[in-house]
Amino acid sequence: MRQILFLVVFSMSALSYGQLDDKMTTIDFVQILNNNKDEAVYYYSNNWKVLREMAQERNYIASFQILDTPFSEVSPFHFMLITTYANSYQYESREAHFGELIKEKGALRLMNEKQPNEFRKTLFSKEGIRHWK
């Protein structure tokens, strides 16, 4: 009887421990170049954020965040751009959905004549991040 009870309790805890959620996230780690923080903030506020707001309204994404992080030699980036998808369908459709939104939004909004590659650099991206329940 004890063995059966142990197996039932163990099975229930094993099923609930470490299960993955349906959500998936991408994170871009962005470095500001040549002290152009104003240009980068303007760019992300008027382009990246606007597209994510549009995507959220259409249920293309679950959520998004822009995080301003301390720069250091160990972590040489200033921003973390996080986009979370509710499920694998949203995640797998991201290219098509953002392509549609970019066409609808139109031209990039820039603070001045500087192009994005002059004031920011994506050091690396992490895609397909799974969430734990």
Side-chain angles (χ1 to χ4, degrees):
M1 183 65 174
R2 278 192 208 180
Q3 290 176 339
I4 293 174
L5 182 59
F6 173 76
L7 286 175
V8 169
V9 170
F10 179 76
S11 297
M12 290 172 54
S13 66
L15 290 174
S16 65
Y17 181 76
Q19 288 183 351
L20 294 175
D21 195 333
D22 289 339
K23 292 180 188 170
M24 298 183 80
T25 292
T26 62
I27 304 175
D28 293 330
F29 298 83
V30 178
Q31 183 180 72
I32 297 170
L33 302 176
N34 305 315
N35 294 316
N36 287 301
K37 185 169 184 173
D38 291 343
E39 286 84 354
V41 168
Y42 185 90
Y43 173 80
Y44 287 112
S45 296
N46 291 285
N47 296 285
W48 190 91
K49 182 180 175 192
V50 170
L51 288 172
R52 268 63 190 172
E53 289 169 343
M54 292 168 69
Q56 201 167 25
E57 287 172 12
R58 294 189 188 177
N59 200 33
Y60 291 166
I61 65 172
S63 64
F64 66 93
Q65 288 183 293
I66 301 175
L67 304 178
D68 195 330
T69 68
F71 181 89
S72 71
E73 284 187 31
V74 175
S75 54
F77 49 88
H78 298 91
F79 300 135
M80 293 171 59
L81 310 175
I82 303 169
T83 305
T84 299
Y85 304 87
N87 52 48
S88 61
Y89 173 76
Q90 281 186 353
Y91 179 75
E92 291 165 5
S93 303
R94 69 192 183 283
E95 296 292 331
H97 287 157
F98 279 108
E100 168 193 323
L101 296 173
I102 288 167
K103 285 180 186 174
E104 183 179 320
K105 181 189 160 296
L108 285 178
R109 295 192 60 207
L110 301 171
M111 185 174 174
N112 50 39
E113 297 302 315
K114 292 181 184 176
Q115 294 300 305
N117 63 352
E118 296 179 71
F119 58 79
R120 59 98 171 124
K121 176 181 179 182
T122 301
L123 295 179
F124 59 96
S125 297
K126 193 69 179 158
E127 296 195 4
I129 300 167
R130 301 294 308 266
H131 292 236
W132 282 17
K133 287 186 181 183

